[in-house]
Amino acid sequence: MSGAPVPAVCVVVGDEELLVERAVARIAAAVREEDPTTEVHELAPGTFHPGQFAELTSPSLFGERRVVVLRAAQDIVKDMVPGVLAYAADPADTAVLVAVHAGGAKGKALLDGLLKAGAHRIDCAKLTKPAERLEFIRGEFQREGRSVTRNVAQTILDTVGSDLRELAAVCAQLCADTEGRIDEAAVARYYTGKAEVSGFTVADRALEGNLPDALEQLRWALAIGTSPVLITSALARSLRGLAIAGQPIRGVGEGEVAKRAGVPPWKIKSIRQQARHWTAHGIAHAIAVVAETDAQVKGAGTDPAYALERAITAIVAARR
Amino acid sequence: MTAAGVFADLVDQDAVVADLRAAALAAADQLRGGPGTGMTHAWLFTGPPGSGRSSAARAFAAALQCPDAGCGHCDACHQVLAGTHADVRVVRPAGLSYGVKETRSLVLRASSSPTSGRFQVVLFEDADRATEAAANALLKAVEEPPPRTVWLLCTPAPEDLLVTIRSRCRLVRMRTPSNRAVAELLVRREGVDQRTAAEAARAAQGHIGRARRLAVDDEARTRRLAVLDIPGQVDTLGSAMLAAADLVQAAERDAASTSGELDEAERTALRQAFGEGATGKGVQKAVRGAAGALKELEDRQKSRATRIKRDSLDLALLDLAAFYRDVLAVQFGADVELSADPARVRAVAGASSPETTLRRLDAVMRCRRRIAANVHPQIAAEAMTTALFTG
């Protein structure tokens, strides 16, 4: 951002905290570059009044620059909105207003008003796709002047999890601790294991009949604190998909079958593949096992982990 | 009302009515300064669901407040039966359980003197919903009662209550009313024709409230028929799973339709009580303070919705269990009145063995137990319908 003048009004839109922090810090740094005496003022909703906002944004006696950060702009009280919008339409040249907005429907009027007044928009939405996270990891290394392969980035993602703050910290740590190339061995020296295993991974392995893998994934899932209830519900959901969508239903389209089974349409093909190893009675038995296990993990048994292991063994055994 | 007064609507419970009537007379005697032998301060009404436990308790409450021991036409009788009498407090737990906090405030209220100079009556329906701590709080009140307070507790079986409470109560056992008596009541009270009444009474198997619903509410009849379609439907695994989904969805719709409107109205009322929409100094602060109370209300509403959902599902499961009982009866050649359509029962009976029927009955009852034990309703229902499929 250095070089170009900082826009007088910015909105940082999104709920990914780390990215929001960085965007705000970047703006503040850019303004400081122009004027090292710049003061940064943080305003949170509920703690400031209209007068304070006007005071901070109006030109000061000594002409020093200010950055006014309006935190959680979606939560500010209604009476304040016109004041902020009026300022945004005619900003002072000594102050930079940064409104941080979580996105979403709350306080949308303020966001739209600011954008209409010509505010500079910076998007910081949560990363949802794995590919975006991999990109983020590689970007982190690039910031430090290092580079990693896709596989290394994937290893980091697997072992650390998807929280961006943690990922950023891990990347910085790896850069500081490792000389030369950062490869999978270097990552493995500091980080091992699995950070995120969903119940569905466990269920998929079990339905495929891969007992050792299913049990391993189950242990990982429990070790990182996945609730046993989520695992039984994932098992139930997968079995439901298998029972309903496993065989084509006469006179019913694929899309409708997927809807009834509660699975995404693209999954039908892999479900049919799984279904070749299952009989109707086998599935019925597996469903009975899951129902009993759900009771066990909800207090009818003493050890949820044991109940789940038994369930997975029984489910694998129920295959053809 | 007839000569039977407030007890007229207790179906097929002659022994109970005689007891309660005698107790009401004894209570009147006590008020006049007599010994009042035959009256006591704590009563436990037990009996199968739908046999009229709470109606009996309510009628007894009316008899206690009535100067004429339950004439059925004085102000006191009307007020009690309409639920507006100042000295009769009816507690009907709407959620999954009844907590100790609520019980303590109930005990406090119960110990005040009656405004009418007769009795302070607390009618606790579904007392088995009281948590252990709540039951202990109740015990203290039942153990050392204020002179004019009468506790009327209702549970399906005496064993549902703490033994210490049970031993301090006089037991009133309701019996399952006969189908004939229930049908008579339906004809007399609801004005339905003989055939519908008899059919509803048979289907409800002694559950008076359910019989009434089935007799007057088309929706309830349709739902019952849909449930009884299940035994004929579960011929493939897929259709068994879909039948389970339908069952759970119907229960969810019940919960949504009953609690949905109620929820919004309650939330609005609470927000208004905290000053929403008002103007003036300090209003905003007050409205913000409503968040905690609102959260508490939402928790209660959620508990209530879960309970409605479970109750509705349980009703369907009982219908299903009764159907398989009929099937078993036909298979064994027992000469009993069938609760469901005989043609359908015979079709299923002819296609399966008694062993299979017993296994299916087990599956239905297991499903009921599991739902009560907090298993996800859909998972429990699927395990049941697939078990019906495998036989």
Side-chain angles (χ1 to χ4, degrees):
Chain A
M1 202 167 274
S2 61
V6 181
V9 183
C10 306
V11 262
V12 180
V13 187
D15 46 3
E16 181 55 67
E17 251 181 72
L18 178 74
L19 298 182
V20 169
E21 269 325 298
R22 282 186 177 171
V24 172
R26 215 160 45 226
I27 294 168
V31 179
R32 279 218 177 91
E33 211 167 278
E34 291 169 14
D35 179 0
T37 59
T38 303
E39 288 176 39
V40 176
H41 296 274
E42 298 256 346
L43 295 179
T47 58
F48 71 100
H49 44 87
Q52 196 180 1
F53 178 75
E55 181 193 326
L56 284 173
T57 48
S58 48
S60 86
L61 184 58
F62 302 107
E64 80 267 14
R65 298 202 62 178
R66 284 179 181 147
V67 176
V68 179
V69 183
L70 192 54
R71 292 279 170 189
Q74 72 276 7
D75 291 334
I76 65 170
V77 283
K78 249 191 223 134
D79 320 349
M80 306 275 310
V81 173
V84 176
L85 287 180
Y87 173 78
D90 181 21
D93 50 6
T94 53
V96 172
L97 172 65
V98 184
V100 179
H101 191 283
K106 199 173 179 204
K108 198 157 183 307
L110 176 66
L111 177 60
D112 290 345
L114 286 173
L115 290 174
K116 215 166 162 193
H120 177 66
R121 177 182 178 131
I122 304 168
D123 276 306
C124 299
K126 273 223 164 31
L127 304 187
T128 47
K129 299 194 189 82
E132 288 173 348
R133 296 207 181 88
L134 288 180
E135 238 2 86
F136 172 81
I137 294 175
R138 299 181 73 185
E140 287 299 300
F141 284 106
Q142 262 158 27
R143 275 160 60 106
E144 305 275 343
R146 315 283 281 260
S147 79
V148 294
T149 63
R150 227 185 138 72
N151 283 347
V152 173
Q154 183 67 53
T155 318
I156 294 176
L157 191 59
D158 284 348
T159 52
V160 178
S162 50
D163 185 65
L164 287 198
R165 221 172 260 281
E166 279 182 44
L167 283 174
V170 165
C171 293
Q173 191 77 45
L174 278 170
C175 287
D177 289 349
T178 317
E179 305 272 322
R181 225 162 62 83
I182 299 174
D183 52 14
E184 281 168 66
V187 176
R189 192 180 321 146
Y190 299 106
Y191 304 97
T192 54
K194 285 232 176 268
E196 282 164 6
V197 179
S198 77
F200 285 101
T201 326
V202 180
D204 279 347
R205 294 297 98 78
L207 261 56
E208 283 159 14
N210 192 339
L211 183 60
D213 246 21
L215 289 177
E216 188 189 331
Q217 298 293 335
L218 171 67
R219 279 293 169 189
W220 277 122
L222 292 174
I224 58 173
T226 308
S227 155
V229 175
L230 291 181
I231 298 176
T232 51
S233 74
L235 285 170
R237 204 176 265 266
S238 299
L239 284 167
R240 189 174 306 144
L242 191 61
I244 297 173
Q247 310 298 332
I249 305 175
R250 211 178 313 134
V252 182
E254 299 272 282
E256 180 60 24
V257 171
K259 210 175 123 204
R260 285 191 198 170
V263 295
W266 52 264
K267 229 184 156 185
I268 296 261
K269 213 170 145 196
S270 66
I271 288 177
R272 297 256 156 96
Q273 223 140 31
Q274 281 179 351
R276 267 187 265 158
H277 300 279
W278 285 90
T279 62
H281 278 72
I283 298 174
H285 178 68
I287 289 171
V289 168
V290 171
E292 185 53 38
T293 309
D294 200 42
Q296 298 274 323
V297 301
K298 282 177 179 164
T302 47
D303 185 357
Y306 170 72
L308 281 168
E309 271 186 17
R310 241 178 81 102
I312 285 174
T313 321
I315 290 172
V316 172
R319 284 176 100 233
R320 191 176 340 227
Chain B
M1 282 215 182
T2 60
V6 288
F7 296 110
D9 280 343
L10 296 188
V11 184
D12 221 7
Q13 310 284 359
D14 301 337
V16 168
V17 170
D19 269 6
L20 293 181
R21 206 188 288 278
L25 289 172
D29 176 45
Q30 196 176 44
L31 285 177
R32 282 191 300 268
T37 320
M39 178 58 193
T40 183
H41 70 284
W43 295 73
L44 177 57
F45 291 79
T46 68
S51 56
R53 295 183 301 256
S54 49
S55 318
R58 200 180 297 265
F60 185 45
L64 289 178
Q65 304 292 10
C66 169
D68 231 357
C71 62
H73 45 72
C74 68
D75 285 353
C77 285
H78 277 305
Q79 281 169 358
V80 175
L81 295 179
T84 53
H85 197 283
D87 290 334
V88 178
R89 187 164 177 72
V90 180
V91 181
R92 190 180 299 129
L96 292 171
S97 61
Y98 196 75
V100 62
K101 225 167 90 190
E102 292 148 302
T103 312
R104 289 211 179 106
S105 68
L106 178 69
V107 167
L108 198 65
R109 265 206 54 145
S111 53
S112 55
S113 298
T115 49
S116 67
R118 291 185 69 86
F119 291 97
Q120 181 74 254
V121 180
V122 184
L123 201 175
F124 198 157
E125 293 182 12
D126 296 345
D128 51 314
R129 298 250 176 207
T131 60
E132 200 179 325
N136 279 318
L138 195 61
L139 172 63
K140 289 194 186 120
V142 176
E143 214 168 17
E144 287 169 23
R148 289 292 182 80
T149 301
V150 180
W151 289 87
L152 309 177
L153 310 175
C154 304
T155 63
E159 290 73 29
D160 293 334
L161 266 189
L162 273 188
V163 62
T164 36
I165 293 186
R166 212 192 312 154
S167 65
R168 283 161 178 81
C169 294
R170 188 158 148 199
L171 201 60
V172 179
R173 280 182 203 275
M174 314 286 292
R175 61 180 190 142
T176 308
S178 70
N179 289 348
R180 198 179 39 77
V182 174
E184 262 169 34
L185 176 84
L186 291 181
V187 172
R188 179 158 55 86
R189 279 267 301 264
E190 310 296 335
V192 296
D193 61 90
Q194 292 279 358
R195 224 185 105 246
T196 317
E199 229 167 63
R202 263 205 312 280
Q205 299 174 81
H207 192 305
I208 299 170
R210 176 99 173 111
R212 187 173 296 152
R213 274 290 292 277
L214 286 173
V216 300
D217 184 356
D218 287 335
E219 163 87 25
R221 266 199 299 272
T222 324
R223 278 281 294 286
R224 183 178 137 83
L225 289 181
V227 169
L228 294 185
D229 271 341
I230 291 177
Q233 249 172 20
V234 292
D235 48 356
T236 66
L237 182 66
S239 52
M241 297 294 278
L242 294 176
D246 289 344
L247 211 54
V248 175
Q249 270 163 17
E252 268 162 9
R253 272 199 302 277
D254 271 359
S257 72
T258 319
S259 59
E261 305 156 19
L262 228 52
D263 285 1
E264 195 41 53
E266 284 172 356
R267 273 200 294 272
T268 315
L270 186 69
R271 275 201 292 263
Q272 265 166 8
F274 273 89
E276 194 187 66
T279 50
K281 214 175 167 196
V283 164
Q284 275 210 330
K285 208 167 174 185
V287 171
R288 249 178 274 135
L294 211 55
K295 177 84 184 40
E296 210 172 281
L297 176 71
E298 274 164 12
D299 285 348
R300 270 207 312 278
Q301 289 175 336
K302 203 172 154 211
S303 169
R304 179 175 66 196
T306 309
R307 163 124 186 241
I308 295 172
K309 189 169 146 190
R310 281 189 190 173
D311 285 355
S312 151
L313 209 51
D314 201 55
L315 220 53
L317 293 177
L318 280 175
D319 278 347
L320 210 52
F323 180 86
Y324 282 113
R325 190 214 53 181
D326 285 357
V327 170
L328 198 63
V330 169
Q331 284 171 336
F332 283 142
D335 180 28
V336 293
E337 225 177 353
L338 298 184
S339 69
D341 175 20
R344 283 191 205 205
V345 173
R346 287 206 189 87
V348 176
S352 58
S353 66
E355 289 85 350
T356 312
T357 309
L358 278 174
R359 273 199 297 274
R360 285 175 169 158
L361 258 175
D362 266 355
V364 177
M365 297 321 258
R366 206 181 307 124
C367 180
R368 290 186 66 207
R369 273 200 306 279
R370 278 181 179 154
I371 288 173
N374 220 2
V375 170
H376 192 288
Q378 187 157 11
I379 297 180
E382 281 169 354
M384 177 191 74
T385 51
T386 51
L388 296 182
F389 155 70
T390 51

